Amino acid sequence: MSSRYEPVIGLEVHVQLATRSKIFCSCPVEFGAEPNTNVCPVCLGLPGALPVLNQHAVELAIEASLALNCQVRNESIFARKNYFYPDLPKGYQISQYDRPLAERGWVEINVGGATKRIGITRVHMEDDAGKSMHEGFKDSDRYSYVDINRSGTPLIEIVTEPDMRSSEEAYQFLTELKQTLQFVEVSSCDMEKGHLRCDANVSVRLRGAEKLGTKAEVKNLNSFRFLKEALDYEIERQIALVDAGGKVKQETRLYNPDTGETAGMRSKEEAHDYRYFPEPDLVPLKVSDEWMNRVRARMPELPQAKRKRFIEALGLKEYDAQVLTAARPMAEYYEKVAAVAGDAKMAASWVSVELQGLLKGTDIAASPVSAERLGELVGLVSKGELTGKLAKEILPKMAETGDSARAIMDREGLKAIADTGELEKIIDQVIAASPKQVEQYKGGKTTVMGYFVGQVMKATRGQANPQVLGNLLKNKLG
Ligand SMILES: [Zn+2]
């Protein structure tokens, strides 16, 4: 990329809220249902049908807003956004315009080791449209079909400030956003099901310039990979255009994953094209401080705060803290293991390495070893009753049998040998059988110590307490 230019990126992200029913009627929200079965006069947009706001949807939207550090308005207004589309039977979408639910938030991302804040301009609520289906039918060459099931599904739209300067930053932002929203469980954020949809506003300008260039809106960025590829393509396209003396057109462009290119779709509509006006069928949405605080009180600790606490209070490495806070079930599992084990650092490596090896990609919620049981095992290692090697043998047996570590130890006679007398006997035998290595050690080759440790471990089937063994060996070898 030419270093004379800098890209400026803002995102608009639509997120489907995890409610059971739609935003203005009681029809179920269900993915993959038989077309046009989850519908009623309200979401079909029949004349005279009146919307009733779903309280749970509002609470999830408030949670999302708070998690994104936004200020939630005490009063916000629903507005009609008028446009015609075959999958929008009302002829308008119920959205929010000049008084959205929440404003002025931020999300922190990590850019080259430094923290950068991406501003959130606003979070507003709206209903989703239905779906036009142009393919997959015998007569698709002549007809399009419409499925209204999705109509009325509750969404929030999250609009960012134009704060991102590369496709990598946009990727990071979306990753962080998705993780946060999943953590507070306001949405599954399943991109394959369209629960998280992303559009990007992209412009370029000469590096150091204040004024923003003309932006194009890129749509159809429905995976993290597409987002990155589409942005890279669009940035290059605009730079080449501007560099050759041309002008970027303000337009909506569609990303085509098959070609990796964006193509002009239509000139970008302005807000006034939608003829927004306050929705006359809904009263203003009032969110009292008391209600907001009630919602805030039941929210979990957010992943960023958790990560910070894991590093500062528990002494974990940045990387481990990252892995262990990647998803809420993982973080909760780890915290239980650490509490039972009484050793946060050791618990971190057991959950992020040994347990992951055992799970082989299965969901941690379906782990064959409970957090309490793993905590007990780690605690035994931490207290020196088991060696790490023995514990690693016991873990898969726990998964297989469902027994506790203690039960398996008792049954198989496994425990760390910390009895010095017993260990000394074995050490003497090893030393007597290895005159060459003893000579090397005495000659200053201390690395040969590993050989002796290995021999004793072999003779004890890995049961020697490593600390006691290390001390005894050093004494014996002088
Ligand atoms: Zn309905």
Side-chain angles (χ1 to χ4, degrees):
M1 187 200 306
S2 163
S3 59
R4 280 179 67 212
Y5 294 94
E6 117 181 306
V8 175
I9 303 163
L11 298 181
E12 291 171 12
V13 185
H14 284 90
V15 175
Q16 180 174 325
L17 298 172
T19 57
R20 285 206 314 236
S21 56
K22 295 186 180 178
I23 185 169
F24 298 123
C25 62
S26 55
C27 293
V29 173
E30 197 184 347
F31 183 83
E34 206 43 39
N36 300 309
T37 52
N38 293 334
V39 290
C40 74
V42 174
C43 52
L44 282 172
L46 299 187
L50 290 173
V52 177
L53 182 58
N54 179 336
Q55 180 176 339
H56 188 214
V58 177
E59 294 191 343
L60 292 178
I62 294 172
E63 284 190 47
S65 303
L66 294 174
L68 302 176
N69 305 294
C70 288
Q71 291 165 28
V72 176
R73 278 175 176 275
N74 290 121
E75 186 175 299
S76 60
I77 305 281
F78 283 98
R80 286 191 185 178
K81 180 181 182 181
N82 298 280
Y83 62 97
F84 170 78
Y85 217 72
D87 59 18
L88 187 72
K90 295 200 296 297
Y92 57 86
Q93 200 181 1
I94 303 180
S95 183
Q96 295 186 306
Y97 181 49
D98 54 349
R99 277 186 276 171
L101 178 74
E103 295 158 297
R104 292 188 296 277
W106 44 266
V107 166
E108 275 181 355
I109 61 168
N110 215 305
V111 186
T115 302
K116 176 173 175 177
R117 253 183 204 192
I118 307 299
I120 304 285
T121 315
R122 55 189 278 148
V123 175
H124 67 248
M125 300 182 71
E126 59 186 29
D127 61 356
D128 205 349
K131 232 185 229 173
S132 299
M133 296 178 289
H134 307 292
E135 282 165 31
F137 297 93
K138 265 208 311 267
D139 44 8
S140 283
D141 56 330
R142 283 170 293 146
Y143 299 106
S144 283
Y145 288 74
V146 174
D147 177 8
I148 304 298
N149 279 347
R150 201 177 67 178
S151 166
T153 298
L155 303 177
I156 47 173
E157 180 173 343
I158 299 160
V159 182
T160 78
E161 293 290 303
D163 285 346
M164 288 155 272
R165 295 289 172 269
S166 66
S167 62
E168 178 58 31
E169 288 187 17
Y171 186 96
Q172 290 265 349
F173 170 82
L174 199 64
T175 305
E176 199 68 45
L177 180 77
K178 181 178 175 212
Q179 191 192 30
T180 301
L181 296 177
Q182 283 179 325
F183 229 88
V184 288
E185 293 173 346
V186 302
S187 174
S188 70
C189 294
D190 187 337
M191 288 181 102
E192 277 177 22
K193 291 184 181 165
H195 294 183
L196 180 77
R197 290 171 247 161
C198 182
D199 303 328
N201 289 304
V202 186
S203 63
V204 297
R205 64 182 173 193
L206 279 172
R207 208 166 280 280
E210 284 282 310
K211 203 167 157 277
L212 293 172
T214 305
K215 67 184 178 189
E217 186 186 26
V218 185
K219 285 192 173 288
N220 204 24
L221 310 176
N222 295 330
S223 78
F224 282 82
R225 189 162 63 86
F226 291 174
L227 171 74
K228 208 157 178 296
E229 287 173 1
L231 287 175
D232 285 336
Y233 176 85
E234 181 62 17
I235 291 165
E236 286 296 329
R237 184 189 74 88
Q238 291 190 14
I239 289 176
L241 192 63
V242 173
D243 217 26
K247 274 196 173 129
V248 174
K249 234 176 32 189
Q250 178 156 338
E251 63 180 349
T252 300
R253 299 180 68 85
L254 201 63
Y255 174 63
N256 181 344
D258 296 329
T259 60
E261 296 176 357
T262 66
M265 192 165 85
R266 54 166 193 255
S267 66
K268 169 83 179 139
E269 51 296 278
E270 302 276 351
H272 64 247
D273 293 330
Y274 289 118
R275 300 284 189 275
Y276 281 99
F277 64 85
E279 166 61 62
D281 290 340
L282 287 166
V283 294
L285 170 57
K286 296 205 165 152
V287 179
S288 66
D289 290 343
E290 193 221 332
W291 187 15
M292 208 177 335
N293 290 335
R294 239 184 7 246
V295 172
R296 196 194 300 270
R298 63 160 194 245
M299 283 169 63
E301 182 182 33
L302 297 175
Q304 295 80 0
K306 230 182 230 311
R307 215 142 57 209
K308 199 156 173 270
R309 183 167 59 79
F310 282 3
I311 293 167
E312 287 170 9
L314 303 182
L316 301 196
K317 289 199 204 84
E318 169 104 36
Y319 177 79
D320 285 337
Q322 197 84 325
V323 170
L324 295 171
T325 56
R328 187 163 161 190
M330 168 75 100
E332 287 174 352
Y333 186 99
Y334 162 69
E335 291 201 80
K336 253 184 239 157
V337 175
V340 174
D343 188 331
K345 279 195 212 174
M346 196 179 271
S349 92
W350 275 84
V351 173
S352 60
V353 182
E354 303 307 330
L355 182 71
Q356 295 313 310
L358 190 72
L359 290 175
K360 292 193 188 77
T362 358
D363 211 32
I364 198 159
S367 169
V369 177
S370 71
E372 287 78 6
R373 286 273 164 93
L374 182 58
E376 185 199 357
L377 179 72
V378 176
L380 289 166
V381 180
S382 175
K383 288 194 277 293
E385 286 190 50
L386 272 179
T387 62
K389 186 170 181 298
L390 281 179
K392 281 173 201 173
E393 283 170 26
I394 290 173
L395 182 61
K397 290 179 185 164
M398 290 167 67
E400 223 168 87
T401 61
D403 290 337
S404 72
R406 183 70 77 183
I408 294 169
M409 282 166 73
D410 290 347
R411 188 167 64 226
E412 303 194 4
L414 299 171
K415 65 171 194 311
I417 305 169
D419 175 351
T420 48
E422 203 175 326
L423 275 180
E424 268 180 286
K425 248 190 272 165
I426 298 165
I427 291 170
D428 288 340
Q429 285 164 9
V430 167
I431 287 177
S434 326
K436 207 174 89 202
Q437 284 80 0
V438 173
E439 210 172 295
Q440 285 175 338
Y441 184 83
K442 293 205 165 142
K445 197 178 172 199
T446 51
T447 49
V448 83
M449 180 61 102
Y451 164 81
F452 290 109
V453 172
Q455 290 300 305
V456 177
M457 280 298 186
K458 209 167 135 192
T460 59
R461 291 192 302 138
Q463 297 189 63
N465 178 309
Q467 259 163 7
V468 177
L469 171 61
N471 291 336
L472 284 176
L473 268 173
K474 264 185 216 144
N475 287 340
K476 289 267 179 195
L477 291 166

